[in-house]
Structures are given as structure tokens and as C-alpha cells.
Amino acid sequence: MFRHSRKSSGASAPSGLRRTIVLAAACLFAFAATTAAQNVPTPKSVLGFQPTDDRTIADWKQITDYFAKLDAASDRVKVQEIGKTTLGRSQIVAFISSEENIRNLEQHRGFSESIANAVPGQKIDLGKGKAVVAISCSIHSTEIVASQMSMLMAHELASATDPESKQILDNVILLLIPSANPDGIDIVADWYRKTLGTKYEGSSPPELYHHYAGHDNNRDWFMMNLAETRNITKLFWQEWFPQIVWDVHQQGQTAARMTVPPFFDPPNPRIDPRILRELGLLGYKMAADLQATGQAGIVTNATYDTWWHGGFRSAPYYHNSIGILTEAASAELMSPVTITKQQMERQGPTRGFRSPLETATNAPDAWTGGEWSPKDIAWIELTAGRAVLEMAAKFRERYVETMYELASKNLRPDTNEPEAFVIYAGQPREEAVSRLLEILMWQGMEVRLLTEEIEGATDPAKRDDIHEIPGGSFIVMVNQAQKPNVLSLFEEQVYPERLNEKGEAEVPYDVAGWTLPLQMGVEYTPVYNIKDSDYLPGKTEVIHDINRARKALNLSPVSGPFAAMPNPLRNPARVGLYKGWSGSMDEGWTRLVLDNHSIKYKSLMDEDVRSGDLGSDVVILPSMGERSIVQGNSEQRYPKEYTGGIGDEGVENLKKFVNDGGRLVCFDSSCDLVIKAFGLPLKNTVEGLNRGQFYCPGSILALDVDTSDPLSRGLKQRTAAYFTRSSAWEIGEGSAVSSVARYAEDDLLLSGWILGEQHIKGKTAIASAKHGKGEIVLFAFRPQHRGQSFATFPFIFNALER
Ligand SMILES: [Zn+2]
């Protein structure tokens, strides 16, 4: 029996009937309620409306109020604060399970931890373990429905009395996260309420829905830049170790009604094949259950892949956990839409999916258009959620064993792999080293300090070439329960060259390479064949506290985790950072880097630039297209106060600013505007090339740096930089533009994938140009990429000196 049964398909059922059925699904147990269940408040009784109804929205206070009332009324629900958000809101998880499991929650947590760590010699009765499942909603705040749905799901489980639900409650501990980005729920709720009933109803807010990262808040899951990532990472990989993690998203209105696992190629070779199989099984269970209710438009094996590390659902793979992503088609925030067949026809192909109107083995029941409302989305999510929970309950031991056996296997050394990675003692950039260690430790990775020297080989081809590795270095052993995470973060990624039938690069989902110490400019090495490795524990000390590591690095102690780093500027200029109303993630990440280094700046809005009131010595233009900067949002889509951009007068004011002695610093896309406006003799050598000629989708490349330039102070001649669909320049002869750094002539690719590297080899990556009394600094790439590329941060800092 499927929990959310309905007879007619989404496409053909009249909307009145569908509404009734969905409501019935949400309140399915009301008819059979026991006395205890009757005391469990419904979302409607608390909110005054049924969540997921058209044009309703619950903000974060309403959602947390509901969960608090549920906690108070039900012994099956326990709500816990897991930390504060970036803007200071309380972030919560609701534990939902049987009354008995909730009473013994700490015991189950401890058990889950011992399963995940598979400590040798510790006898574990795997049969006693509960399946731990985490479901997280609306990390992307405009994908709002799941946050509203979470209250229906919690109420259903808290009040259910049927045997199937009892089986779930007895066997599964659910960690329900109503939102992975509570600040964004309020940003979207405020905007939705403000625009409801106007012609802007259903539009996205004209600002980032995460203070720093916007949509990129789902690109942070190995980097720990954001408070929300840290809160959930601690909950998952320091405390609870869920065997199944489901991250609930929405995609475009004309895409599949829901895309579920398994995903498309390529899989990352560091993800255990067993995890990929279990992922597929859960996805097919979701798809089959949805099909049984008559839901059309469910798609597997398409669009998203399992290569990339750094997403909410991809980080679990490297912790022996099954990370599920689902993407339901969107409405317009909480307003329903009607999608025509013609609109569906215009939806272009994605990987593994030619058209939503075609039937295929991975999409056997095409959805051809119709009404689409938040309730439809909630229906699909509740049904898919039920599928996951049923599987976890029925195959509880299988999930517990899978995690345990993978962890046990990872603890055994494998001669094909390095034994350890060493982060050298005595290197410059100690703050970056400290931050790297803190990032690793926060994910539950064991980091040791070498208290004396050891001997090992650092070249995999010359394993007998043993030499000394100095004491005071840090060592990360590979044979940890989370071995795939150690390898994935330290190794160089080699993305397989995948071309389509036209011979052009097939676009991966997100980036191809991320090697963390490389991006951070930290000197490290793999180590093989460590001499007397049995005696290694006696020569090392496990680091439990970042201040112990900082002491070893001769850095002053910090008061708490992920504290701001010291201001690196000797003589700071007055900095203006262009912001505008287009919600640029690159602007947000720039702000994060400045805030994290205690660097003061002023955010420049369009009117500041239009009026010429810059109040700055240095102005930064983050990576934004010319249109976004100059024209801004359109009046068709946004109220007037959020439209217009800096305009032509703003461009003139930037020219005057430089002429009068200011320094204009531009990242990646914004360089086009500046090159044009100032008539700089820079030619982008990859402009106009198709993806068969040149392609580099997020990879780490080597730069050759002119270390004599003041912009390069503190940088090495060979420096790693992050390139993601960026540029490369040829400089016109005899011009006043100089090249500060070039893409390396040899060994250009350090991690990831590049096609057609000859188009950028030796070309300029950073340029500076004197203009009037001032100066322009141009980065062809993003030197602050997602707050990750510490290696190139010093270029930015040097540009902010007076
Ligand atoms: Zn999303």
C-alpha cells in the first residue's frame, strides 16, 4: 500500500479533485487518530492556513513555532537548535521516531557513531542499529515548497497510528531539517508577501537569498564557509552519521515533474559503487511509487551527475552515506502556474533527457502540460519521502551494515593509494594552513601533528626513495572511515574527457576539479611507504582543538570555531564593493572574503555609482555581466526602486574615478565592460570559441606570476588559480597595460578538465593598466572563487593597499 495513493494522473485530474486528494494525503490519519494523536496540533491549527495551499507562505518564525508546538505535544518529536544562521536565526532539526526511540535518542546517536567509525576491536551488534535518515528542505529558498511541506510530513508521522507508519517510527530515526537556509525563508516570505497580488507576484527577490552565497550555498559542503553548512556538517559528521541524506530541491517550471536518482555520468571513482547502487535503488523506489499513484513526468538518469563534491547531497557519498537529490518542477514561489504543451516543447534537452514530451526508458510517462501548483510539488515530495522512509524501515539492517562495512573496508590500507597526506611545517600562509586544518576537522576527519620526524616516499613512482618528513608537519592518514573524503579533497581530479556527437564538451554538473590544499595555496604531499608506520601513533598527536594546531603554527589562539582571520592589509585603502540589485553571488563571495579577513568596505548601490558618490580609493566590480551592471533589473519584472543598474552615467563616473586617481579592480565577467569603456587593448583569446575548441568547466590551473609586481607581493612564481568559464588575454603591443600573471606554458592543468588549452597557455590572466592618475586591475578569472581559492586571495589584498 502506498501512503499517498491517488487514481488519476497529475496532468488530467481536474484541479478541484487533485486539491482534495492532496489534502487527504496530508491529513490521512485524522480519521484514525488516537487520543494522543488528537493532541498533536495540525499545521493549520497553528498557522491559520493549510501549508502548501496556493498563495500561502509560512515564514521561519511560523515554521519554528509549529515545530516547537509539535515537540511539546508529541513524544515522537524532539526539536533541537543546531546553531545560529549567518544572520542570527535559530537553525533547527526535528528528530522524529517512536516514543521509545526518542526517549533513548542519545543512545541511538552513540550507536550510529560507532557504526560510522567501525572502530576495530569494538564489538557491535549491527541488528540493534536504527536507520538514520536526514531530510533537508529548501536550501535554495526560492525552491520554497519543501519548507512548507516539512510541517505536513512532521505532523503526519507524529499523529499516525497505522502499522506501516509504526514500522517506520520503530525502525527509523528521522532528522528533519525544515530548511537548510532559514534566513532565506524569511527573505523569500517577505518578498512574496510584499508582491502578492501585484504584477510582480511569484518573482524572485532582488537580492541573494543567502547573505553571502545565494544559490551557491549548495557549493560549500566541503569548504565550511557558511554558518549553515557548519551547523549541519557538525550534526551529520560529528554527531549523527545518517546513512541516508535527502536534499529536497526544485528545478525549472518546464523541466521534468521530478528528477530523481540514479543520476547521469560520470560517477566519481572515489564514490564506492555500493553507494551508487543503493542511491539508484532509492531513486527507483521513489519513481515507482510515484508512477503507481499515476504521477507522470518522473525522470531518472538525467541532468545531474555524481562527479562533483561540494553539494549537500554529494558530501555524504564521501562519508559512506547515500546522498539523494530530487528536483521537482517549480510553480512561481507559492503561486500556481499553467504550463502549456508549447512551453514544454521549448524546454531544451539536458543530459540523458531529450525532451519532457518524449517517453523514454528513464522517463516512461511524459507530462505534457497543465496546471501546476505548490500542492502538486508537496504531493510528489511527500510521496517520495514516504518511499525513502519505507525503504529505510524495511531494510534497516542493510543500511546500517552498508555504512559499517564500507567504513571497515576504508580502515584497511590499500597499496594503490597514498598512506597519508602531509601538510608541511614551516610554510608561509600559516592562516590558510590553520583554516584548511579546521575545515578538515569539522568534517570529522582525523588530523595529527607529527611530534617528531618520520620517513617516507613522496613520489608514487619511486616508493623506495625514502626521505625525511619534518616534525611539526601535520599528517592526515588515508585509512580513515571517511577515506573517500580524504582522497577526494587531497587528490587531483582527472575529469574524463566527454564529448557529444558534435565533438563538443559535454557540460558537467558544476565543476570538474576542487583539490582543496591546491586551491588554498597550501604546500602538501602524498606519502607512500612510511617507514616503521606501526610506530607512527607514538610520533604523532591527534589534534582535537584548532588552537592546538595554531600553537604549533605559532599563531595566536582564536576564541571560537571559524573565527575571522587577521586583517592582511598594511595600509588599507577605502574600499567600495559594487553590489546593485541583481543579487550577484560573486559579490556575496567577495564580501565573505573581506569580512573573514576583517577588511572594511562600503557596499556601493546603483544610485551611489550613478551619482558618483563612491567615497572610495579602490572600487571592486565583482564578476557580473555588462548588462547586469549597466542596465540592472528590468522594470517589467521588478518594482522601479530595484531596476536600472548604474546606467551610462555610472560608467562615466567610474572613468572619472580612475582618471582622478582611483583604482578599479574587476573580476572575470565585469572586465568586458571595463575593457570596452576604457578602450583597453586586451583581446580575449577564448571569446567565440565553441565547446569543441575550448572548454574548462571549473578547474585549477597554474599561473606564472611576475613576482616583481607590487600586486604579487607574497605570491609564488607558480600559483594555482581557479578557472571556471573565464577569460585569457592578449595585450596589444606598445600599450600601457602590463601582464601581472599568465596562464602557465607547461603543466597548466592542476586539477579538473581543460579542452583546447593551447588557446590560453602563456596568455595574460591578471593585467594592470595605468589610466589618467589612476589604475585598473583586471582578473580574467575569479580570484575569490566561492571563498575557496585562498591561493589567489593575496592578489586581491595587494590591490586593496593604498
Ligand atoms: Zn536547488
Side-chain angles (χ1 to χ4, degrees), residues 549-561:
R550 291 180 70 83
K551 193 175 168 210
L553 290 163
N554 292 318
L555 294 171
S556 51
V558 287
S559 57

Side-chain angles (χ1 to χ4, degrees), residues 393-444:
K394 284 186 180 145
F395 300 106
R396 171 179 60 87
E397 287 191 49
R398 178 196 184 95
Y399 293 114
V400 169
E401 272 172 28
T402 301
M403 184 175 260
Y404 180 81
E405 286 168 11
L406 289 178
S408 305
K409 186 177 84 170
N410 292 339
L411 292 176
R412 293 193 288 273
D414 181 336
T415 50
N416 295 315
E417 292 156 358
E419 266 185 87
F421 292 93
V422 159
I423 296 162
Y424 284 115
Q427 60 177 299
R429 312 277 306 268
E430 298 92 342
E431 286 291 346
V433 173
S434 167
R435 179 53 57 99
L436 171 62
L437 298 175
E438 194 164 21
I439 288 167
L440 300 176
M441 288 160 63
W442 199 261
Q443 298 170 61

